[in-house]
Amino acid sequence: MIEKEGSRLKPEQVVKRYENAKARKDLFEDLYREAYDYAIPQRQLYSYWEGGSVGQKKMQKVFDSTAIHSTQRFANRLQSGVFPPQRMWCRLEPGNTIPQELRSQVQAKLDEFRDIMFSVIRQSNFDIAIGEFLLDVAVGTGAMLVQPGDNGTPIEFTPVPLFLLCYEEGANGQIDKIYRRLRIKGETIQQQWRDAKLSENLQQKIMRRPSEEIELIEATMLDYERGDWCYHLIVHDQKEEIVYRRLNGNPWVISRYMKVAGEIYGRGPLLTAMPDIKTLNKTKQLLLQNATLAVMPAFTAQDDGVLNPHTIKIVPGSIIPVARNGGSQGESLKPLPRAGDFNVSQLVISDMRQNIKQILLDESLPPDNMSARSATEVVERMKELSQNLGSAFGRLINETMVPLVGRIMQVMNDRGLINMPLRVDGLQVKVQPISPLAQAQSMEEINAIVQYIQLTQPMGAEGEYAINKSALIDMLGDKLGVPSSVRYDATERAVLIQQRAQAEQAAAVAAAQQQMAMGQQPPPVVDQVPR
């Protein structure tokens, strides 16, 4: 635990905690490295950090692109279903602690804040960053850094590969300590951290070799005593702290696709598909080798009885010297017989590809290359995706959307873009998803209500009054994500209904008076009272 107010962890303590956390994460290295090698090779950083060159080839192990394509499709489908680009994907609503008489006013203000928030998001790099974030979620764990930007881009979103991160969990599974390792040129340290305090030895080192990279540790740790966050920036090898800050919120958004009991790192669908991915790649590799031998087979050639087995190489196009090729010396050049054709590959490839696509949700029913799709079909597709995601959809909302919105609102409030005295904690302000995936779930609730109304309407007077129509109107507007700015609340609707009734009654009285003036018997005036 971090010390009480007025004290802080020493740099060597932070480094020790980082090294312990990294040692625990390294137990997952082989698992994650394999997934990145076969399915997201361009985002694989292990070889670069270990001394590889920039721009190196990263697809030497890949013989089939099904996993790469399906992983990209998985991230794209999640983004379009939960965080659709250039669209509003959530709504801010008053929490249960807001008094009922103030909810309409608070809702109108929250809708205003929501509009400003999405204007800022559209102006930022969020749509690009969330796509890379979801690629890491496919492996198991995604991480994003949300920081204040400049006047042109008020908020910056930085997806950080898990390779550069390690973290610890605190009470109730809350991620309360996040560590990131960095390599940065010495001359840019004070450009990026203007409050950095460099020792004389470090300054001289930077002056001698300004372009040399320095390895840093960035630690963000929750202070349970004060309720805020401590930020440390430390030179790793020297254990020298150059930046220390107090933060009023956590700048990190970390989401796990699925978590096994006793583990703090996530396991995604890509890890489930790895046996099929590796089998498919090996099958394609053997198939290509077999095809090469079929096109350019190895040959045997007479060598007057002289044969050295240590020099024989069975490769396409090779010539192996032999004493003779069959009886009576045989032909001068003869193809080397092969053991058989690799026909089993045709039985394996199709099944493996189908399995990979099913695990990564890369399938459509009916195929989406058919004719134009109706709105009902789109809803059914989203409903099917929601069912396939299961508990992972709840994690995406609770570990990604809710903290993401809370952090964005906090940064906007700090920059003066809004003045929001309420907290996004579920009690004062709650986040309600209205993305296509959430809309599919809302439509199930709406369909159930519609069915209830249809069944109860024929049941006489009790069926007619079986449902509160005023509350139903408000609920439908919330479920469909209709802004409160274009809706009348219950009080305003009651006033409008009363005004219409009075206008209709006044018109009826005027018509009766006109008929009496003309000497006609007026029809009886019925008192217009709304039910």
Coordinates of all heavy atoms in Angstrom, one line a residue, residues 289-343:
Q289 N 5.1 -27.3 -49.4 CA 6.3 -28.1 -49.6 C 6.0 -29.3 -50.6 O 6.8 -29.6 -51.5 CB 6.8 -28.6 -48.3 CG 7.4 -27.5 -47.4 CD 7.8 -28.1 -46.1 OE1 7.5 -29.2 -45.7 NE2 8.5 -27.2 -45.3
N290 N 4.8 -29.9 -50.4 CA 4.5 -31.0 -51.3 C 4.2 -30.5 -52.7 O 4.6 -31.2 -53.7 CB 3.2 -31.7 -50.8 CG 2.8 -32.9 -51.6 OD1 3.4 -33.9 -51.6 ND2 1.7 -32.7 -52.3
A291 N 3.6 -29.3 -52.9 CA 3.4 -28.8 -54.2 C 4.7 -28.4 -54.9 O 4.9 -28.6 -56.1 CB 2.5 -27.5 -54.1
T292 N 5.7 -28.0 -54.1 CA 7.0 -27.6 -54.6 C 7.7 -28.9 -55.2 O 8.3 -28.9 -56.3 CB 7.9 -27.0 -53.6 OG1 7.2 -25.8 -53.1 CG2 9.2 -26.5 -54.2
L293 N 7.6 -30.0 -54.4 CA 8.2 -31.2 -54.9 C 7.5 -31.8 -56.1 O 8.1 -32.4 -56.9 CB 8.2 -32.3 -53.8 CG 9.2 -32.0 -52.6 CD1 8.9 -33.0 -51.5 CD2 10.6 -32.2 -53.1
A294 N 6.2 -31.5 -56.2 CA 5.4 -32.0 -57.4 C 5.8 -31.2 -58.6 O 5.9 -31.8 -59.7 CB 3.9 -31.8 -57.1
V295 N 6.1 -29.9 -58.5 CA 6.5 -29.1 -59.6 C 8.0 -29.3 -60.0 O 8.3 -29.5 -61.1 CB 6.2 -27.6 -59.3 CG1 6.7 -26.8 -60.5 CG2 4.7 -27.4 -59.1
M296 N 8.8 -29.4 -58.9 CA 10.3 -29.6 -59.1 C 10.7 -30.8 -58.3 O 11.3 -30.6 -57.2 CB 11.0 -28.3 -58.7 CG 10.6 -27.1 -59.5 SD 11.5 -25.6 -59.0 CE 13.2 -26.1 -59.4
P297 N 10.5 -32.0 -58.8 CA 10.9 -33.2 -58.0 C 12.4 -33.4 -57.9 O 13.2 -32.8 -58.7 CB 10.2 -34.3 -58.7 CG 10.1 -33.8 -60.2 CD 9.9 -32.4 -60.1
A298 N 12.8 -34.1 -57.0 CA 14.2 -34.5 -56.9 C 14.5 -35.6 -57.9 O 13.6 -36.4 -58.3 CB 14.6 -35.0 -55.5
F299 N 15.7 -35.7 -58.5 CA 16.1 -36.7 -59.5 C 17.2 -37.6 -59.0 O 18.0 -37.2 -58.1 CB 16.5 -36.0 -60.8 CG 15.4 -35.2 -61.4 CD1 15.2 -33.9 -61.2 CD2 14.6 -35.9 -62.3 CE1 14.2 -33.2 -61.8 CE2 13.5 -35.2 -63.0 CZ 13.3 -33.8 -62.7
T300 N 17.3 -38.8 -59.6 CA 18.5 -39.6 -59.4 C 19.3 -39.7 -60.6 O 18.8 -39.6 -61.8 CB 18.0 -41.0 -59.0 OG1 17.2 -41.6 -60.1 CG2 17.2 -41.0 -57.7
A301 N 20.6 -39.8 -60.5 CA 21.5 -39.8 -61.6 C 22.6 -40.9 -61.4 O 23.1 -41.0 -60.3 CB 22.2 -38.5 -61.9
Q302 N 23.0 -41.6 -62.4 CA 24.1 -42.6 -62.3 C 25.5 -41.9 -62.0 O 25.8 -40.9 -62.5 CB 24.2 -43.4 -63.6 CG 23.0 -44.2 -63.9 CD 23.2 -45.1 -65.1 OE1 24.3 -45.4 -65.5 NE2 22.1 -45.5 -65.8
D303 N 26.2 -42.6 -61.2 CA 27.5 -42.1 -60.8 C 28.6 -43.2 -60.8 O 29.5 -43.2 -60.0 CB 27.5 -41.4 -59.5 CG 28.7 -40.5 -59.2 OD1 29.3 -40.1 -60.1 OD2 29.1 -40.4 -58.0
D304 N 28.4 -44.2 -61.7 CA 29.4 -45.3 -61.8 C 29.6 -46.0 -60.5 O 30.7 -46.4 -60.1 CB 30.7 -44.8 -62.3 CG 30.6 -44.1 -63.7 OD1 29.7 -44.6 -64.5 OD2 31.3 -43.2 -64.0
G305 N 28.5 -46.2 -59.7 CA 28.6 -47.0 -58.5 C 29.2 -46.2 -57.3 O 29.4 -46.8 -56.2
V306 N 29.4 -44.9 -57.5 CA 30.0 -44.1 -56.4 C 28.8 -43.3 -55.8 O 28.2 -42.5 -56.5 CB 31.1 -43.2 -56.9 CG1 31.6 -42.3 -55.7 CG2 32.2 -44.0 -57.5
L307 N 28.5 -43.5 -54.5 CA 27.4 -42.8 -53.8 C 27.8 -42.4 -52.4 O 28.1 -43.3 -51.6 CB 26.1 -43.6 -53.8 CG 24.9 -43.0 -53.1 CD1 24.4 -41.8 -53.8 CD2 23.8 -44.0 -53.0
N308 N 27.8 -41.2 -52.1 CA 28.1 -40.7 -50.7 C 26.8 -40.3 -50.0 O 26.3 -39.2 -50.4 CB 29.1 -39.6 -50.8 CG 29.5 -39.1 -49.3 OD1 29.0 -39.7 -48.4 ND2 30.4 -38.2 -49.3
P309 N 26.2 -41.0 -49.1 CA 24.9 -40.7 -48.5 C 25.0 -39.4 -47.7 O 23.9 -38.8 -47.5 CB 24.6 -41.9 -47.6 CG 25.9 -42.5 -47.3 CD 26.7 -42.3 -48.6
H310 N 26.2 -39.0 -47.3 CA 26.3 -37.8 -46.5 C 26.1 -36.5 -47.3 O 25.9 -35.4 -46.7 CB 27.6 -37.7 -45.8 CG 27.8 -38.9 -44.8 ND1 27.1 -39.1 -43.7 CD2 28.6 -40.0 -44.9 CE1 27.5 -40.2 -43.1 NE2 28.4 -40.8 -43.8
T311 N 26.2 -36.6 -48.6 CA 26.0 -35.4 -49.5 C 24.7 -35.3 -50.1 O 24.4 -34.4 -50.9 CB 27.1 -35.5 -50.5 OG1 26.9 -36.6 -51.4 CG2 28.5 -35.5 -49.9
I312 N 23.8 -36.3 -49.8 CA 22.5 -36.3 -50.5 C 21.6 -35.2 -49.8 O 21.5 -35.2 -48.6 CB 21.8 -37.7 -50.4 CG1 22.6 -38.7 -51.1 CG2 20.4 -37.6 -50.9 CD1 22.1 -40.1 -51.0
K313 N 20.9 -34.4 -50.6 CA 20.0 -33.4 -50.1 C 18.7 -33.6 -50.9 O 18.7 -33.4 -52.2 CB 20.5 -32.0 -50.3 CG 21.7 -31.7 -49.4 CD 22.2 -30.2 -49.5 CE 23.3 -30.0 -48.6 NZ 23.8 -28.5 -48.7
I314 N 17.6 -33.9 -50.2 CA 16.3 -34.1 -50.9 C 15.6 -32.7 -50.9 O 14.9 -32.3 -50.0 CB 15.4 -35.1 -50.2 CG1 16.2 -36.4 -50.0 CG2 14.1 -35.4 -50.9 CD1 16.5 -37.1 -51.3
V315 N 15.9 -32.0 -52.0 CA 15.2 -30.7 -52.2 C 14.7 -30.6 -53.6 O 15.2 -31.3 -54.5 CB 16.2 -29.5 -51.9 CG1 16.7 -29.5 -50.4 CG2 17.4 -29.6 -52.8
P316 N 13.7 -29.7 -53.9 CA 13.2 -29.6 -55.2 C 14.3 -29.2 -56.2 O 15.2 -28.4 -56.0 CB 12.2 -28.5 -55.1 CG 11.8 -28.5 -53.7 CD 13.0 -28.9 -52.9
G317 N 14.4 -30.0 -57.3 CA 15.4 -29.7 -58.4 C 16.7 -30.3 -58.2 O 17.6 -30.1 -59.0
S318 N 16.9 -31.0 -57.1 CA 18.3 -31.6 -56.8 C 18.5 -32.9 -57.6 O 17.6 -33.5 -58.1 CB 18.4 -31.9 -55.3 OG 17.5 -32.9 -54.9
I319 N 19.8 -33.2 -57.8 CA 20.1 -34.4 -58.6 C 21.0 -35.3 -57.7 O 22.1 -34.8 -57.2 CB 20.9 -34.1 -59.9 CG1 20.0 -33.3 -60.8 CG2 21.4 -35.3 -60.6 CD1 20.7 -32.8 -62.1
I320 N 20.6 -36.5 -57.4 CA 21.3 -37.4 -56.5 C 22.1 -38.4 -57.3 O 21.5 -39.2 -58.1 CB 20.3 -38.1 -55.5 CG1 19.5 -37.1 -54.8 CG2 21.0 -39.0 -54.6 CD1 18.3 -37.7 -54.0
P321 N 23.4 -38.5 -57.2 CA 24.2 -39.5 -58.0 C 23.9 -40.9 -57.4 O 24.0 -41.1 -56.2 CB 25.6 -39.0 -57.8 CG 25.6 -38.2 -56.5 CD 24.2 -37.6 -56.4
V322 N 23.6 -41.8 -58.3 CA 23.4 -43.2 -58.0 C 24.2 -44.1 -59.0 O 24.6 -43.7 -60.0 CB 21.9 -43.6 -58.0 CG1 21.2 -42.8 -56.9 CG2 21.3 -43.4 -59.4
A323 N 24.4 -45.4 -58.6 CA 25.1 -46.3 -59.5 C 24.3 -46.6 -60.8 O 24.8 -46.7 -61.9 CB 25.4 -47.6 -58.8
R324 N 23.0 -46.8 -60.7 CA 22.1 -47.1 -61.8 C 20.7 -46.8 -61.5 O 20.3 -46.8 -60.3 CB 22.3 -48.5 -62.3 CG 22.0 -49.6 -61.3 CD 22.3 -51.0 -61.8 NE 22.1 -52.0 -60.7 CZ 23.0 -52.4 -59.9 NH1 24.2 -51.9 -59.9 NH2 22.7 -53.3 -59.0
N325 N 19.9 -46.6 -62.5 CA 18.4 -46.4 -62.3 C 17.7 -47.5 -62.9 O 17.2 -47.5 -64.1 CB 18.0 -45.1 -63.1 CG 18.4 -43.8 -62.3 OD1 18.2 -43.8 -61.0 ND2 18.8 -42.8 -62.9
G326 N 17.6 -48.6 -62.2 CA 16.9 -49.8 -62.7 C 17.8 -50.8 -63.4 O 19.0 -50.6 -63.5
G327 N 17.2 -51.8 -64.0 CA 17.9 -52.9 -64.7 C 18.6 -52.4 -65.9 O 18.1 -51.4 -66.6
S328 N 19.7 -53.0 -66.3 CA 20.5 -52.7 -67.4 C 20.9 -51.2 -67.4 O 20.7 -50.5 -68.4 CB 19.8 -53.0 -68.7 OG 19.5 -54.4 -68.8
Q329 N 21.3 -50.8 -66.2 CA 21.7 -49.4 -66.0 C 20.6 -48.4 -65.9 O 20.7 -47.4 -65.3 CB 22.7 -48.9 -67.1 CG 24.0 -49.8 -67.2 CD 24.8 -49.8 -65.9 OE1 24.9 -48.8 -65.3 NE2 25.4 -51.0 -65.6
G330 N 19.4 -48.7 -66.6 CA 18.2 -47.8 -66.5 C 18.5 -46.5 -67.3 O 19.5 -46.3 -67.9
E331 N 17.5 -45.6 -67.2 CA 17.7 -44.3 -67.9 C 18.7 -43.4 -67.2 O 19.0 -43.6 -66.0 CB 16.3 -43.6 -68.0 CG 15.6 -43.3 -66.6 CD 14.5 -44.3 -66.3 OE1 14.8 -45.5 -66.3 OE2 13.4 -43.9 -66.1
S332 N 19.2 -42.5 -67.9 CA 20.2 -41.6 -67.4 C 19.7 -40.7 -66.3 O 20.4 -40.4 -65.3 CB 20.8 -40.8 -68.5 OG 21.4 -41.6 -69.5
L333 N 18.5 -40.2 -66.4 CA 17.9 -39.3 -65.4 C 16.5 -39.7 -65.1 O 15.7 -40.0 -66.0 CB 17.9 -37.8 -66.0 CG 17.6 -36.7 -65.0 CD1 18.7 -36.6 -63.9 CD2 17.5 -35.4 -65.7
K334 N 16.2 -39.9 -63.8 CA 14.9 -40.4 -63.4 C 14.4 -39.7 -62.2 O 15.1 -39.5 -61.2 CB 15.1 -41.9 -63.1 CG 13.8 -42.6 -62.6 CD 14.1 -44.1 -62.3 CE 12.8 -44.8 -61.8 NZ 13.1 -46.2 -61.5
P335 N 13.1 -39.4 -62.2 CA 12.5 -38.7 -61.0 C 12.5 -39.6 -59.8 O 12.4 -40.8 -59.9 CB 11.1 -38.4 -61.4 CG 11.1 -38.4 -62.9 CD 12.1 -39.4 -63.2
L336 N 12.8 -39.0 -58.6 CA 12.8 -39.8 -57.3 C 11.3 -40.0 -56.9 O 10.6 -39.1 -56.8 CB 13.5 -39.0 -56.3 CG 13.6 -39.7 -54.9 CD1 14.5 -41.0 -55.0 CD2 14.2 -38.8 -53.9
P337 N 10.9 -41.3 -56.7 CA 9.6 -41.6 -56.3 C 9.3 -40.9 -54.9 O 10.1 -40.9 -54.0 CB 9.5 -43.1 -56.2 CG 10.6 -43.6 -57.0 CD 11.7 -42.6 -56.9
R338 N 8.0 -40.4 -54.8 CA 7.6 -39.8 -53.5 C 6.8 -40.8 -52.7 O 6.2 -41.8 -53.3 CB 6.8 -38.6 -53.8 CG 7.7 -37.4 -54.3 CD 6.8 -36.2 -54.5 NE 5.9 -36.4 -55.6 CZ 4.7 -35.8 -55.6 NH1 4.2 -35.1 -54.6 NH2 3.9 -36.0 -56.7
A339 N 6.6 -40.6 -51.4 CA 5.9 -41.5 -50.6 C 4.4 -41.5 -50.9 O 3.7 -42.4 -50.7 CB 6.1 -41.2 -49.1
G340 N 3.9 -40.3 -51.3 CA 2.4 -40.2 -51.6 C 2.0 -38.7 -51.7 O 2.8 -37.9 -51.4
D341 N 0.8 -38.5 -52.1 CA 0.3 -37.1 -52.2 C -0.3 -36.7 -50.9 O -0.8 -37.5 -50.1 CB -0.7 -37.0 -53.3 CG -0.1 -37.2 -54.7 OD1 1.0 -36.9 -54.8 OD2 -0.8 -37.7 -55.6
F342 N -0.1 -35.4 -50.6 CA -0.6 -34.9 -49.3 C -2.1 -34.5 -49.4 O -2.4 -33.3 -49.3 CB 0.3 -33.7 -48.9 CG 0.1 -33.3 -47.5 CD1 0.5 -34.2 -46.5 CD2 -0.3 -32.1 -47.1 CE1 0.3 -33.8 -45.1 CE2 -0.5 -31.7 -45.8 CZ -0.1 -32.6 -44.8
N343 N -2.9 -35.4 -49.8 CA -4.3 -35.1 -50.0 C -5.1 -34.9 -48.7 O -6.2 -34.3 -48.7 CB -5.0 -36.3 -50.7 CG -4.5 -36.4 -52.2 OD1 -4.1 -35.4 -52.8 ND2 -4.4 -37.6 -52.7

